[in-house]
Amino acid sequence: KHRPRNSSDVGDSSDVGDLIQFATLLADAAKEETIQRWREVCVIDDKGMGDEFDPVTDADREAERAMRALVQTHFPDHGVSGEEFPEQKPRGPYIWSLDPVDGTRSFTCGLPNWVTLIALLEDGEPILGLIDAPCLGERYLGSAGGAEVMGRHGNTVLRVSLCQKLAEARLSTTDPFLFNGSEAEAFEQLRRSVRTTRYGQDGYAYARLAAGTIDLVVESGLKPHDYNALVPVVRGAGGVIGDWSGGGDFAPGKVIAAATRDLYDQAVEIMAPAA
């Protein structure tokens, strides 16, 4: 397996500035569909097919429709892979990865920390990521050129913390009950090794890792639309993101993001047996 890479290793696009601008346009379109429905606490459907509750709302669907329409209009050769609708195949190297509401459970509870995730992949590699937190007025952007947060008080360059020891780390995962069997045992060992642990942040945890206020995120069961946008943001801020075995295979959905290589390696040592 190859090792996870830092931002300087990730490929770039010759018109990345235009693509970043377009990504913000997609985020604006999604916000138009999500924010009012969040305030109104819209109708919730269950797409779990009788298994674990898997909520979806009109906000998810309509935001993805709006973003897909913009891609089709502005970049008809680009593909689209979203959470709610079938994949649109590309006629070239580019695919947009869309997750209109990451943290739907938080969304349906009226909590403000859900996000919209937007990524651009070139030949399967995420080269641009955007994490938009509409309720908080924060938009995190990452690419090979670095990472920044756009907020109410202007733009700020993102840099991860310098944390190198588990004993000093601030850890986050969305829900500890999403780990099963040996996964749960490994995570509990990790939790006991860190300074503090916070739950329920979904994709927002990775944004805060990039901003330097969280040091470590460990999750299981992620799908491509869950992690594609996170990779350029974390790496652009100088962090490390990879799998539980110390490589870069995200397909199994087991992800570790860390502020530093030392911290990542220590987390891998604990989580790898359950990978």
Side-chain angles (χ1 to χ4, degrees):
K1 294 182 178 180
H2 61 281
R3 290 174 64 81
R5 293 170 293 172
N6 293 314
S7 60
S8 60
D9 301 312
V10 180
D12 200 359
S13 171
S14 59
D15 55 354
V16 70
D18 291 339
L19 294 171
I20 288 173
Q21 185 175 6
F22 180 67
T24 65
L25 182 65
L26 293 178
D28 288 340
K31 182 177 179 178
E32 286 289 321
E33 301 294 339
T34 57
I35 196 71
Q36 187 60 39
R37 289 179 170 91
W38 171 74
R39 293 192 181 104
E40 295 171 352
V41 188
C42 59
V43 176
I44 308 164
D45 296 324
D46 182 6
K47 60 180 181 180
M49 304 294 290
D51 297 322
E52 183 181 346
F53 178 59
D54 188 6
V56 63
T57 72
D58 280 347
D60 298 83
R61 290 185 281 254
E62 296 308 316
E64 186 169 321
R65 284 194 180 101
M67 290 189 285
R68 283 174 174 266
L70 284 172
V71 174
Q72 182 62 36
T73 298
H74 292 269
F75 295 102
D77 289 341
H78 290 194
V80 179
S81 178
E83 183 175 15
E84 306 304 334
F85 301 105
E87 181 175 342
Q88 176 182 318
K89 299 294 184 181
R91 297 192 296 272
Y94 295 112
I95 296 179
W96 291 92
S97 173
L98 309 175
D99 188 352
V101 179
D102 182 75
T104 303
R105 288 173 176 80
S106 292
F107 183 96
T108 59
C109 291
L111 299 173
N113 56 320
W114 53 274
V115 294
T116 297
L117 300 177
I118 299 168
L120 179 64
L121 282 67
E122 182 179 15
D123 296 322
E125 179 75 21
I127 62 167
L128 168 64
L130 186 152
I131 305 171
D132 190 41
C135 299
L136 304 176
E138 299 170 359
R139 185 167 291 175
Y140 299 77
L141 284 160
S143 69
E148 66 177 359
V149 57
M150 304 164 61
R152 295 186 176 97
H153 303 293
N155 297 3
T156 303
V157 173
L158 291 170
R159 292 301 301 174
V160 294
S161 76
L162 299 177
C163 182
Q164 298 182 35
K165 298 179 181 179
L166 283 178
E168 300 173 357
R170 296 159 292 184
L171 168 67
S172 181
T173 195
T174 295
D175 187 340
F177 296 108
L178 295 178
F179 298 113
N180 297 311
S182 61
E183 294 181 352
E185 294 173 5
F187 181 78
E188 177 59 18
Q189 180 183 346
L190 184 67
R191 185 195 66 78
R192 291 196 303 266
S193 302
V194 302
R195 176 170 289 175
T196 189
T197 305
R198 296 289 87 191
Y199 301 122
Q201 304 305 316
D202 295 281
Y204 187 61
Y206 299 84
R208 296 314 306 169
L209 185 143
T213 63
I214 288 176
D215 308 303
L216 183 64
V217 184
V218 177
E219 294 194 290
S220 180
L222 299 188
K223 298 176 181 178
H225 56 257
D226 295 318
Y227 57 72
N228 281 329
L230 313 176
V231 174
V233 175
V234 170
R235 289 177 177 163
V240 178
I241 183 168
D243 64 33
W244 287 15
S245 299
D249 182 7
F250 296 108
K254 297 182 178 183
V255 173
I256 297 175
T260 62
R261 170 66 62 181
D262 285 346
L263 191 61
Y264 174 82
D265 289 342
Q266 291 167 55
V268 165
E269 186 175 353
I270 293 174
M271 301 306 299

